[in-house]
Amino acid sequence: MYRLFREARRALLFGFIATGLTSVNLVQAAPAVPGVSATEVRVGWLGPESGPAATYGDVRKGIVAYFDYVNSQGGVNGRKLKLFSYDDKYQPSLTVRMMHRLVEKDHVFATLGDIGSPTNAAVQKYVEDQGLPMIMLCSAANRFFVPPIANFMGSCIASYTFEAKVMVNYAVKNLHRKTLAFAYDNTDYGKPILEAAMEAVKSYPGVKVLAQAALQPAETDFSAQAQKIKDANPDAVLVFATPSPTAHLKKALSTIGMNSQTSAYLTTQEGGANTVLWQLAGKDVWADTYSLTSVPSVDAKTKPIELFVSQFKKQFPDTDPSGSPQSGWASAQVFVEALRRTKDLTRENFLKTFYTFDNWKGSLFSSITFTPDDHFGISSLIVTQAKDGTMVPISGLISIDNKTGQFTEAPAAQ
């Protein structure tokens, strides 16, 4: 009996010692900061590279091109950048699964340029709980920025409220249109812009919204919505949708006799600031479309644009560099600058560093500013028009104070 007791006590004591050693080893093995080592920073990206919103996947290509350029120059403060990316097909259920993988398996330090409002909404609580920095989100939905959330820092597009105001103002004041129709993605992306546009119209006496048409992003047949709009006979159609429905709706309108001569067609940055629309809609159909953008034309003769185009074409020679790739490259520029400014790299210090950006002009974006009250980052847009296979800037820089909602327009470049 005594022998059995002694062996049992020895086994129990050994178990305590082994458990203690294991715990010590685990503590020693755990990284001080997730995704950061002496030689590497791990960054995540989620977005659609297949399905109806696949054109947004080119944001990843822009990020890759800039990360490779920075790594070829030695990285950031001695660390190389490593991107972990997954195709979520613009499906929130896949976004949830892939985000858990980025955090729990890949152990990323932060994410950069993640695509979409409904997709990011699906993981919002999880990433807030994790304290994961969500940098230059490719969504400007108010739920991520109003009020500011500590770990959501920057959008790769201007706020949806700002877009809506600019589109309505341009249609009314610049194009002298009085009767409008609104078409929108029937999602967490399109509906907030629709609401903001309906509110914006109230500031223009005599302007009427004659029709609203809901679009499903996965569909391509919008003949019913087109007929509804034609029957209302507006002199401008404003579309708050992703590229595929934006293009296919204009095709459907053209088929039944509505074109840019009979009714102006205006789109958001997300839906129209990409030359892929020429292929989706057809060159003749897409001509004269008005779109918003927050980045300069790839045809601009400036050193920043020339560097972007040359580096991007080295990596992706078969991809048009306009639109989404520019947003990816510019967002990566903001991310890298924040890394450079962060001396003791922790998630908390990294996020605080963004408040040092005050009208910073070191990216393709016109300027970047962050304050404790404003996490959008971008506050400027330009109106473009589709001409001869490219998007031609036709307005000056339109800027907004995201706190007051007031915007101003600089003179157009000559």
Side-chain angles (χ1 to χ4, degrees):
M1 177 69 69
Y2 176 74
R3 180 182 177 185
L4 289 174
F5 174 77
R6 184 175 62 186
E7 290 179 354
R9 184 176 63 178
R10 182 184 300 165
L12 184 61
L13 179 60
F14 180 80
F16 282 142
I17 294 172
T19 301
L21 288 172
T22 302
S23 299
V24 171
N25 288 339
L26 285 174
V27 170
Q28 290 175 340
V33 180
V36 176
S37 71
T39 59
E40 181 180 85
V41 177
R42 294 181 164 212
V43 185
W45 178 87
L46 298 178
E49 296 189 278
S50 58
T55 56
Y56 289 149
D58 287 348
V59 168
R60 181 193 66 82
K61 295 178 181 178
I63 294 171
V64 168
Y66 190 68
F67 276 13
D68 285 354
Y69 171 69
V70 170
N71 286 340
S72 73
Q73 305 295 309
V76 185
N77 300 332
R79 297 183 177 101
K80 297 296 181 69
L81 304 170
K82 185 173 182 180
L83 187 68
F84 294 78
S85 61
Y86 301 105
D87 177 10
D88 68 4
K89 305 181 188 299
Y90 208 65
Q91 296 177 14
S93 60
L94 284 179
T95 308
V96 171
R97 189 165 64 196
M98 296 306 179
M99 182 60 76
H100 279 263
R101 181 172 180 175
L102 285 175
V103 172
E104 297 162 19
K105 182 179 178 182
D106 300 325
H107 304 293
V108 298
F109 171 68
T111 68
L112 171 63
D114 284 9
I115 307 296
S117 297
T119 45
N120 281 298
V123 297
Q124 182 173 353
K125 184 179 185 305
Y126 175 70
V127 298
E128 284 189 56
D129 291 344
Q130 294 291 321
L132 178 71
M134 302 284 285
I135 309 303
M136 301 307 290
L137 203 70
C138 284
S139 167
N142 280 349
R143 65 176 295 152
F144 305 123
F145 300 103
V146 182
I149 300 171
N151 61 310
F152 281 74
M153 198 64 72
S155 169
C156 80
I157 48 183
S159 81
Y160 294 157
T161 300
F162 181 29
E163 282 194 304
K165 286 183 175 182
V166 170
M167 291 174 71
V168 170
N169 184 74
Y170 199 84
V172 175
K173 294 296 186 180
N174 295 74
L175 303 181
H176 310 292
R177 308 303 166 111
K178 297 294 184 182
T179 56
L180 313 177
F182 292 159
Y184 62 98
D185 270 7
N186 193 23
T187 66
D188 287 345
Y189 159 61
K191 289 186 283 188
I193 310 180
L194 171 68
E195 293 171 6
M198 292 297 294
E199 185 65 26
V201 168
K202 296 177 183 178
S203 300
Y204 302 92
V207 175
K208 297 180 179 180
V209 180
L210 302 182
Q212 296 181 26
L215 312 174
Q216 297 301 329
E219 296 180 0
T220 57
D221 181 2
F222 298 110
S223 54
Q225 291 91 333
Q227 191 62 53
K228 179 180 181 180
I229 291 171
K230 183 180 181 182
D231 290 345
N233 194 31
D235 53 22
V237 180
L238 281 62
V239 187
F240 321 124
T242 45
S244 179
T246 299
H248 286 99
L249 175 63
K250 193 168 192 193
K251 283 179 67 176
L253 289 168
S254 178
T255 299
I256 58 176
M258 285 191 73
N259 53 45
S260 298
Q261 282 68 50
T262 59
S263 183
Y265 200 76
L266 295 85
T267 79
T268 61
Q269 175 181 349
E270 307 78 58
N274 195 316
T275 54
V276 72
L277 276 298
W278 294 94
Q279 287 77 49
L280 290 175
K283 186 174 181 180
D284 292 340
V285 172
W286 194 249
D288 297 323
T289 297
Y290 298 93
S291 300
L292 303 180
T293 184
S294 58
V295 290
S297 168
V298 294
D299 298 320
K301 302 302 181 183
T302 66
K303 288 183 178 179
I305 283 293
E306 289 172 354
L307 174 64
F308 158 65
V309 173
S310 65
Q311 293 296 320
F312 186 81
K313 283 298 186 182
K314 286 180 183 178
Q315 292 285 97
F316 306 102
D318 298 325
T319 301
D320 188 326
S322 68
S324 293
Q326 290 175 277
S327 294
W329 175 280
S331 296
Q333 288 177 303
V334 176
F335 184 90
V336 167
E337 180 63 20
L339 283 180
R340 286 189 177 126
R341 296 185 184 193
T342 308
K343 295 181 180 179
D344 180 14
L345 187 56
T346 66
R347 284 175 170 173
E348 182 180 5
N349 289 343
F350 178 64
L351 289 167
K352 287 180 180 178
T353 297
F354 283 88
Y355 297 141
T356 67
F357 286 74
D358 183 9
N359 198 32
W360 182 66
K361 298 181 182 295
S363 75
L364 293 188
F365 298 127
S366 59
S367 68
I368 293 289
T369 299
F370 293 99
T371 70
D373 296 323
D374 184 356
H375 283 194
F376 278 107
I378 295 176
S379 58
S380 301
L381 286 169
I382 297 170
V383 181
T384 70
Q385 190 173 21
K387 295 285 187 184
D388 300 322
T390 190
M391 309 305 295
V392 180
I394 58 172
S395 80
L397 195 66
I398 304 169
S399 301
I400 190 171
D401 182 327
N402 283 318
K403 193 172 183 179
T404 65
Q406 300 300 309
F407 63 90
T408 57
E409 180 178 351
Q414 299 298 318

